Every structure is written in structure tokens, then in C-alpha cells.
Amino acid sequence: MSSGSSSNLSLKERMISAGVGSLLTSMILTPMDVVRIRLQQQEIIPDCSCVVDSPKSKLSAPVDVNGTVFWQDSCFKDINCRNSSVRYSGTMDAFRKIIQTEGVSTLWRGITVTLLMAIPANVVYFTGYEYLRDLSPLNKTSPSLNPLFCGAFARIFAASTVAPFELVKTRLQSIPKYDKSTASWHIFKDLMQETKKEISSGGYKVLFRGLEITLWRDVPFSAIYWGSYEFIKKHFWGVRDDLLYIENQSNWNHFVNSFLSGCISGATAAIFTHPFDVGKTRWQISVMSNNEKSTLPVRNSNDLGKNMFKSLNLIRQNEGIGALYTGLFARIAKIAPSCAIMISSYEISKRLFSS
């Protein structure tokens, strides 16, 4: 929606608009998020079949597998090891195998956490962006740069607000089931117990693990996204006069314009920032060198860098540059329609409120 038309909306109306978009986006596209994370994490979870069942004790004794410490516990065996026979060759293969081995409901695992995270994050993000965009001095002096800087700042606030939810969601979606009978709530309960142990040993800062690399991904993503979106709106929608545009544009045309613009802008931003997404996923599901009791192991976890660029460079050196683009198709397949659904729902909701 153009700035002039949206400026009269109340905070409540903006929140409802963002909430509607968040709900639709999360319900439709969470499966693509699950597949993306599985594809990105499968190389760093080791092949093993030697975790000893010990249903009567939690984390009772360590088992060393190829130099990596694991903990005997039947409740966590699906976290500790990856069945070597379950390998995903691509996005569609991952969909098929997840449904066959774990059940279709697994594709929506973490949806509650996603909604708890997405709704407040998008309220902060979208309303924050519009307020910054309209009030920024760059709006008059450098209108082309204004959406880049405002989108970046809005994303910093939003990502920092929901970082703990993002960490839990990423870990929850990365954990495979051994069979369809395993209850998702049981996996979530065990994950929460592990998270509490991490907080006890490392403090609440562990909840923000990966925030730095999340910002490295999301801040440039937002800058590219909003810059592209505003450019397309101005040069392809023909938005010159806000009020004239509102009077002459039907709701359907406005929906189509915002949907296509969001799709193109989201795909463009996703391509440029995907290596950071790979790094973020690995950081959040990896064992850090000072956390030997974690049940989220990686191969050669001590090689993980302590900063974003070192981590990405290590991935490039050890696995090739292609590893930095693992899951790109799945991410674009999720991000492009996600941005399209979110922005078009948000724009139409605001338009209905303003009318």
C-alpha cells in the first residue's frame, strides 16, 4: 500500500493486517521450511546406529562415535543419529521420504512455534518498516535508498525480538522421526529439556545462538526485498500519486500487483542471501565446542567458526561452494510465495481498513 493511504491506519489495524498475512503464510508454507532445514542439516548429522537404548535414564552415559560424544537415551536417538539409509537427493525426494517414513503431519511440525514467532515478528517488521519509511529524512532526499535502510533497521528489531523462537523452531524441524508413531509433542518436550540444560550451563545468551548470522541473512534480505518491492511498485505499477492510485485501482488489481511484486522481490533477495541461511541453520543445530552434552551433534563440530565469514569459508573449503547453496530451490519455493502471500494479504487488509 502506498504511504499516503496507509498513514491513517491505526496500530491495531496494522497488527491485524500483519497477523492475517502471517497466519496464511505459515499454514501454507511451513512444509517448505521443514524440507529446507532437513536438506541443509543432513550433511552435518553423522551416520550412526550404535546409540544404546536406555529408556529408564536420561542422558545416562556417553558413547563415542568417530570422535563425537553422544548420550545414551532412547528418547534422543532420533536426534543423535541419522539413519544412513535416509538421504535426500533433492526437494521433491525430501518431501516423499519425510511423508513415507515420518508421516505427512511432520511437514507442519513447529507450526505453533512458527505462529508464535511470525505474528509478533511481522507486526514489528511491517509496521516498523512503514513508520520508518514515512518518517525517515531519506524519504525526500534519497527515495531510492530509503526502503533499503528502513527495511534493514526494521528487520534488526524484528529478528532480535523473536530469536529464541527461531532457534527452537529450527531445531524442532531438523529432528527426524524413526517412525510415524513417535509423537511430535514428545520430541518437543525433550527438546525443551535439552534447552533448559543449555541455559543452566551457558546462560540465556544460548537462546540467541545464531542471531548474528540470522541478521547477516535477514538484514541484507530485507534491504534487497524492500528496495526491489518499492522499485517495482513505482516503475511497474505506475504509483505516482497515492490518492489517484487508490481511486483508480481495483482490489483485485492491487492484490495481483502486490502478489507478483512480493514474489519477484522475495526470490531475488533469497538468491543473494542464501549462503547466510545455510550458515544460520548449521549454527543453530550444531554442537558448539564448549557444549559437549548437546544432543544435536555435527561432524567436526570444533571446525565451526566463531564468526559468520569464517564459518561460511570453512563450509566452502570442506564441502565446496555448492554446499553454500544447499536447499536453495526449497528456500525460493518457500520464500517467493511466502513474500507474495504476506505482502498481498497485508496490503489488501490495509486497503479494506482504509476504505
Side-chain angles (χ1 to χ4, degrees):
M1 196 70 168
S2 50
S3 59
S5 61
S6 63
S7 59
N8 294 327
L9 294 177
S10 66
L11 178 61
K12 180 180 178 181
E13 291 169 335
R14 293 174 189 266
M15 291 175 64
I16 294 174
S17 300
V20 170
S22 300
L23 179 62
L24 291 174
T25 302
S26 299
M27 293 299 297
I28 295 172
L29 296 167
T30 292
M32 290 306 306
D33 213 23
V34 173
V35 170
R36 172 186 63 84
I37 290 172
R38 293 293 184 88
L39 287 169
Q40 290 178 356
Q41 61 91 42
Q42 69 175 344
E43 289 302 324
I44 62 174
I45 293 184
D47 297 326
C48 55
S49 58
C50 57
V51 175
V52 181
D53 290 341
S54 72
K56 293 183 179 180
S57 69
K58 293 285 185 177
L59 301 175
S60 58
V63 178
D64 190 279
V65 180
N66 297 327
T68 304
V69 175
F70 300 92
W71 293 82
Q72 296 180 19
D73 180 13
S74 60
C75 296
F76 289 105
K77 65 182 179 181
D78 52 342
I79 303 175
N80 288 336
C81 300
R82 167 173 55 78
N83 187 329
S84 59
S85 65
V86 181
R87 297 287 296 172
Y88 309 128
S89 61
T91 301
M92 298 310 298
D93 184 55
F95 267 113
R96 180 177 61 83
K97 289 180 178 177
I98 290 173
I99 292 173
Q100 286 179 348
T101 60
E102 305 177 45
V104 68
S105 62
T106 299
L107 294 174
W108 278 270
R109 184 191 295 166
I111 185 66
T112 302
V113 180
T114 298
L115 290 174
L116 288 174
M117 175 185 69
I119 292 177
N122 283 327
V123 167
V124 173
Y125 180 44
F126 281 85
T127 60
Y129 166 73
E130 290 188 335
Y131 278 120
L132 289 172
R133 179 197 63 189
D134 296 343
L135 298 177
S136 171
L138 292 176
N139 195 26
K140 295 182 179 180
T141 59
S142 301
S144 297
L145 295 177
N146 189 48
L148 276 73
F149 285 100
C150 294
F153 280 113
R155 176 54 70 184
I156 291 174
F157 294 137
S160 300
T161 301
V162 299
F165 292 104
E166 175 70 18
L167 176 65
V168 172
K169 179 185 76 72
T170 300
R171 288 183 165 187
L172 186 62
Q173 292 178 340
S174 72
I175 302 171
K177 291 181 181 180
Y178 262 147
D179 54 63
K180 296 181 181 180
S181 63
T182 304
S184 295
W185 69 266
H186 186 64
I187 295 175
F188 179 77
K189 178 183 176 181
D190 291 340
L191 180 59
M192 290 297 97
Q193 290 176 349
E194 281 298 282
T195 302
K196 289 180 180 179
K197 289 183 174 69
E198 288 188 79
I199 294 174
S200 298
S201 61
Y204 283 98
K205 65 180 180 180
V206 301
L207 294 176
F208 294 87
R209 177 181 296 165
L211 176 59
E212 176 187 349
I213 203 165
T214 297
L215 293 177
W216 274 107
R217 180 197 67 175
D218 288 355
V219 171
F221 179 96
S222 296
I224 296 170
Y225 172 78
W226 285 113
S228 300
Y229 184 79
E230 298 290 353
F231 177 85
I232 293 172
K233 185 166 71 171
K234 179 178 180 180
H235 293 279
F236 293 93
W237 296 17
V239 179
R240 294 294 187 273
D241 185 291
D242 292 338
L243 296 179
L244 181 63
Y245 172 78
I246 296 171
E247 293 174 357
N248 295 336
Q249 195 77 353
S250 68
N251 285 342
W252 173 248
N253 287 338
H254 185 66
F255 171 81
V256 172
N257 283 338
S258 58
F259 187 94
L260 293 177
S261 300
C263 186
I264 295 170
S265 300
T268 302
I271 292 171
F272 281 102
T273 60
H274 189 71
F276 302 130
D277 183 66
V278 173
K280 181 193 81 72
T281 299
R282 292 201 179 192
W283 268 28
Q284 289 185 325
I285 66 174
S286 295
V287 173
M288 303 306 284
S289 59
N290 62 348
N291 186 22
E292 63 179 6
K293 291 187 179 182
S294 174
T295 59
L296 296 166
V298 297
R299 292 172 179 161
N300 302 321
S301 61
N302 290 332
D303 290 338
L304 287 175
K306 297 300 183 182
N307 61 66
M308 182 270 302
F309 287 108
K310 183 180 290 186
S311 295
L312 296 184
N313 189 48
L314 283 170
I315 293 173
R316 181 191 63 81
Q317 290 177 345
N318 296 332
E319 305 173 41
I321 194 169
L324 295 175
Y325 293 91
T326 302
L328 176 60
F329 177 79
R331 185 166 181 243
I332 292 178
K334 187 247 181 180
I335 289 293
S338 173
C339 290
I341 295 170
M342 182 66 215
I343 193 65
S344 57
S345 301
Y346 184 61
E347 295 277 24
I348 287 296
S349 296
K350 292 193 305 176
R351 186 178 177 86
L352 293 176
F353 278 125
S354 65
S355 61

